[in-house]
Amino acid sequence: MDNLDYLMTRVKTPETRSSVLISSSPFLNHAGLRDWVATHYLRKNGPDRGNEGDTADGLIPALNSMTDVPKIERLIDEEREKNPAFRDWVDEAYIAPHSADFFKGYPEGSFGHRYWSVIDGGYQPNLAREMIVPKSRYEFIRFRFGQIHDFEHLIAGGGFNTLGELMPYFVRLSNVHRHLSSELAGELTRFYVLGGYRFPVRAGLHYPQIYMTVLELQMRGIRIGLESDPIFMAKFEDVLHLPLPEARAALGVRHAEDLDTEEASRIFDDRGE
């Protein structure tokens, strides 16, 4: 009735002399990553385990251990030769020196003041933790990607809550693939693929009442990323004095608007009433 025999026609069990799991996929071969995917794609949410800790608890260490840095540096060099905007960005290697207090002085209604309001409300800013001098172009990219994450929350319109994270995840994922060669984009977005899709899967399995909201947030983020200028290369610090709509326009960010993701996040987080 289910036509399973037909669907299994091309499924072959390979023969091997290996005594352990082995695959053509390095991700499947990584025991820690297998456990992370099984846990964080299938689990329910709850007060015992905040969603913000998911990626630190296994994903980041696993991907770091699998990263082929010389290959990525080679792909960066190749991209520099054919992508002038990317070349200018990585050659400048701009790292903002700001502390949280830097944002106090921006006028009310500005991008910078909106960010200060978030910090003043108790949110720990992600200004890339401690300053470094990047020793390579790849190290710069990794550092700057972390440094601008909070700015992307505001510029894309996602709130500073669990489902608000879908906006910077999917904006970054689609925007990098839109503006860089596919192989380099793939190397730079593995974290966003695995980290970003855990929320839609968990919502679909456990929180169907907000699943359509989650899909809408994904679609919004993807559209912003595909139709905007390279947001990941933007110098947000140049537009902090502007109101958000004007800052978005100045940076070439299209289709973004402020969204209220708090109620859907409350349901997804299993926070109760």
Side-chain angles (χ1 to χ4, degrees), residues 58-90:
L59 179 61
I60 294 173
L63 291 179
N64 285 345
S65 73
M66 300 168 65
T67 299
D68 185 342
V69 175
K71 175 185 177 181
I72 296 174
E73 291 287 359
R74 174 179 59 79
L75 292 171
I76 290 171
D77 288 342
E78 292 174 0
E79 189 74 22
R80 285 183 70 256
E81 296 302 315
K82 57 190 175 187
N83 186 335
F86 178 78
R87 180 176 63 245
D88 292 345
W89 178 61
V90 295

Side-chain angles (χ1 to χ4, degrees), residues 90-251:
V90 295
D91 287 357
E92 180 184 10
Y94 174 77
I95 297 291
H98 309 320
S99 66
D101 287 344
F102 172 84
F103 298 90
K104 282 184 179 180
Y106 280 96
E108 188 169 352
S110 67
F111 184 2
H113 184 268
R114 285 280 299 274
Y115 187 45
W116 169 249
S117 297
V118 173
I119 297 171
D120 197 37
Y123 184 84
Q124 182 174 336
N126 183 19
L127 294 171
R129 298 157 294 279
E130 58 187 48
M131 283 296 123
I132 67 165
V133 176
K135 298 180 180 63
S136 69
R137 293 186 174 107
Y138 176 52
E139 194 169 279
F140 156 69
I141 292 172
R142 289 189 65 199
F143 193 84
R144 185 61 174 168
F145 271 14
Q147 190 174 55
I148 65 174
H149 173 77
D150 291 343
F151 296 152
E152 288 174 309
H153 262 280
L154 290 169
I155 213 73
F160 284 82
N161 45 46
T162 303
L163 294 186
E165 289 287 343
L166 286 165
M167 299 302 288
Y169 264 118
F170 284 94
V171 168
R172 176 78 65 84
L173 183 56
S174 56
N175 195 244
V176 171
H177 275 272
R178 170 67 177 82
H179 291 285
L180 298 181
S181 301
S182 58
E183 191 173 3
L184 176 59
E187 292 287 344
L188 297 179
T189 56
R190 289 175 175 178
F191 171 82
Y192 305 98
V193 171
L194 289 167
Y197 280 96
R198 75 191 193 276
F199 291 157
V201 173
R202 293 213 300 254
L205 293 177
H206 300 296
Y207 309 99
Q209 65 270 46
I210 59 162
Y211 188 57
M212 292 301 292
T213 299
V214 169
L215 290 183
E216 181 183 356
L217 291 169
Q218 279 185 270
M219 290 189 293
R220 282 177 177 269
I222 291 169
R223 185 186 186 201
I224 293 168
L226 290 179
E227 299 189 25
S228 295
D229 292 352
I231 298 170
F232 61 97
M233 292 193 280
K235 190 175 284 187
F236 293 90
E237 293 79 5
D238 288 347
V239 299
L240 290 171
H241 63 289
L242 297 174
L244 263 177
E246 294 180 24
R248 288 166 178 151
L251 296 178

Side-chain angles (χ1 to χ4, degrees), residues 8 10-25 28-29:
M8 294 289 289
R10 296 198 324 120
V11 177
K12 308 296 183 184
T13 301
E15 294 183 3
T16 177
R17 296 180 61 82
S18 174
S19 60
V20 296
L21 176 64
I22 187 168
S23 163
S24 59
S25 166
L28 185 57
N29 288 338

